[in-house]
Amino acid sequence: MNWLEKLKENDTARRVLVFVLLGIVLYLLRSMIDLILLTFIFAFLVTRLENVILKRIRIPRKLIVIVLYCLVAMFLYVAIVHFLPILIDQISQLVDSLVKIYNNPSDNKIVQWIVGFLKESNIQKYLQTGVDFIIASLSGIGSVGLSFFLALILSLFFSLEKERVTSFTGQFLTSKVGFIFKEAAFFGKKFVATFGVVLEAQLMIALVNTIITTIALYLMNFPQLLSLSIMVFVLGLIPVAGVIISCVPLVLIAYSVGGFQDVVYILITVVIVHAIETYILNPKLMSSKTNLPVFYTFIILIFSETFFGVWGLIVGIPVFVFLLDILDVRNSEDIQKRTIFGRKKKVD
């Protein structure tokens, strides 16, 4: 067992081995990736809401969890009973309208150019993937719906028994293979500190973008407003590319509804939304590490979509930022801050 003792003493080799083992485990569990990611997202968001509420109101933590999940249950009931039939009908009408425009473009050169560009690029593939994701998510009984329900239940049990779960999991740190769990805990903390925070910020950015875009669509009397809002929100979860991709169907619908004038209004709205995301929301919500070059952003999205499907478009950037954090890759701002902080600390 000399090799095991040497492995325990070598921090780098031990960390690399555990990272590879975690990668293999996730690969073997790839069929459950929906359940794993949704459970993590729900548990992370509930924990963040708990902390925000506890800072303002001193009430039992479990009571907050119960109230939050009761609100979620009420929202799901109203959404399924009242809005789901309307939404499915609107999505069908929206898809039919886009297919008609796509197959029979008008004589306008701008519309013909957009349709031609769609046929020659991968944006059509992303749009189809996004529509499939929305329809699958809103279907009554399906794998995504089942994963969503199970993730809610698992995150509820985790939130209610967080202290017991943490205490029980901590026992593995002192076991015979404790060094593996210590490294797994290290990666877990990094994952929450990067992946979770970036994904939360992207959710907030997508929500703000959706609100602004929906107001503009309402003022322009767009049809199928509910389905368009959900499409904008889902595509808004894709960093940078989401705003551009959502612009294509909106422009086509704008031209069919109000002609060239509405197309101009939509383009102005997209520019405003992109400016708010780039210059206001990203600097406030995102870490400096996420200021990736656009070239890197699109390369990551292309590869992550190829390997992980629809989830890759949403989690590709957060996973890449997590890997940057693991490898301790820092930009000039981080290095400068560290240097300044280090000097101050030495002076003190």
Side-chain angles (χ1 to χ4, degrees):
M1 298 292 289
N2 288 335
W3 65 272
L4 184 59
E5 296 298 328
K6 291 181 179 178
L7 180 64
K8 290 181 180 180
E9 295 174 0
N10 192 325
D11 293 341
T12 302
R14 185 179 67 245
R15 190 156 292 175
V16 170
L17 174 63
V18 173
F19 186 79
V20 172
L21 288 175
L22 289 175
I24 293 173
V25 170
L26 287 175
Y27 178 78
L28 295 175
L29 297 176
R30 63 190 181 278
S31 60
M32 300 175 62
I33 194 67
D34 290 348
L35 178 61
I36 294 171
L37 285 173
L38 286 172
T39 302
F40 170 80
I41 291 170
F42 291 150
F44 179 82
L45 292 177
V46 168
T47 301
R48 299 285 286 188
L49 286 173
E50 279 178 31
N51 296 334
V52 171
I53 295 173
L54 286 173
K55 286 180 180 179
R56 291 166 172 77
I57 308 173
R58 292 297 176 183
I59 57 177
R61 188 188 65 80
K62 290 186 178 181
L63 179 60
I64 297 175
V65 173
I66 293 172
V67 170
L68 287 175
Y69 277 92
C70 285
L71 291 174
V72 170
M74 290 174 59
F75 171 78
L76 290 176
Y77 173 78
V78 173
I80 292 172
V81 173
H82 296 284
F83 292 107
L84 184 60
I86 299 172
L87 185 58
I88 292 175
D89 181 60
Q90 286 193 7
I91 289 175
S92 300
Q93 295 178 22
L94 178 62
V95 172
D96 290 340
S97 300
L98 289 174
V99 169
K100 288 179 182 178
I101 297 172
Y102 182 79
N103 291 329
N104 301 297
S106 64
D107 295 332
N108 187 278
K109 292 183 179 180
I110 296 177
V111 176
Q112 290 179 351
W113 180 85
I114 293 174
V115 172
F117 176 72
L118 283 175
K119 292 179 179 179
E120 296 175 0
S121 65
N122 288 327
I123 293 180
Q124 179 192 359
K125 178 183 175 182
Y126 293 147
L127 288 173
Q128 183 62 45
T129 305
V131 171
D132 292 342
F133 179 73
I134 294 171
I135 294 174
S137 300
L138 297 172
S139 297
I141 299 176
S143 59
V144 176
L146 181 61
S147 297
F148 188 90
F149 176 75
L150 290 176
L152 276 176
I153 297 299
L154 287 174
S155 62
L156 171 62
F157 290 149
F158 172 81
S159 299
L160 287 174
E161 297 187 314
K162 189 182 300 180
E163 293 83 3
R164 290 186 62 190
V165 171
T166 304
S167 175
F168 180 79
T169 307
Q171 297 176 16
F172 290 96
L173 298 175
T174 56
S175 64
K176 293 182 179 179
V177 289
F179 71 98
I180 295 179
F181 288 95
K182 286 179 182 177
E183 296 302 331
F186 166 80
F187 289 122
K189 290 178 181 177
K190 289 281 188 181
F191 188 78
V192 172
T194 54
F195 181 94
V197 172
V198 172
L199 194 59
E200 180 192 22
Q202 193 60 43
L203 281 169
M204 292 298 297
I205 290 172
L207 183 61
V208 173
N209 290 351
T210 302
I211 292 172
I212 296 172
T213 305
T214 302
I215 292 173
L217 297 180
Y218 174 76
L219 294 176
M220 287 187 285
N221 296 317
F222 263 55
Q224 295 92 37
L225 194 61
L226 182 61
S227 57
L228 286 174
S229 300
I230 292 178
M231 180 198 72
V232 171
F233 177 76
V234 172
L235 292 175
L237 295 174
I238 305 173
V240 181
V243 177
I244 300 173
I245 296 172
S246 64
C247 178
V248 176
L250 291 178
V251 166
L252 293 175
I253 296 172
Y255 183 79
S256 65
V257 171
F260 186 72
Q261 182 179 359
D262 279 5
V263 172
V264 174
Y265 291 154
I266 281 294
L267 292 177
I268 292 173
T269 302
V270 170
V271 170
I272 293 173
V273 167
H274 184 68
I276 292 173
E277 177 181 346
T278 303
Y279 299 107
I280 299 177
L281 298 178
N282 270 333
K284 286 184 176 297
L285 299 176
M286 292 288 197
S287 167
S288 58
K289 288 183 184 178
T290 58
N291 292 330
L292 301 172
V294 176
F295 173 79
Y296 268 90
T297 300
F298 277 95
I299 290 295
I300 294 165
L301 292 176
I302 291 171
F303 276 90
S304 58
E305 193 278 333
T306 301
F307 287 104
F308 302 110
V310 177
W311 273 115
L313 294 173
I314 298 173
V315 304
I317 298 297
V319 168
F320 184 75
V321 174
F322 164 69
L323 293 176
L324 291 180
D325 198 27
I326 291 296
L327 298 173
D328 201 24
V329 176
R330 302 184 180 275
N331 59 24
S332 56
E333 282 185 33
D334 288 334
I335 295 172
Q336 188 176 7
K337 287 178 182 178
R338 273 189 159 192
T339 304
I340 295 172
F341 179 77
R343 286 176 182 173
K344 286 183 178 179
K345 195 171 182 181
K346 287 179 181 179
V347 172
D348 294 339

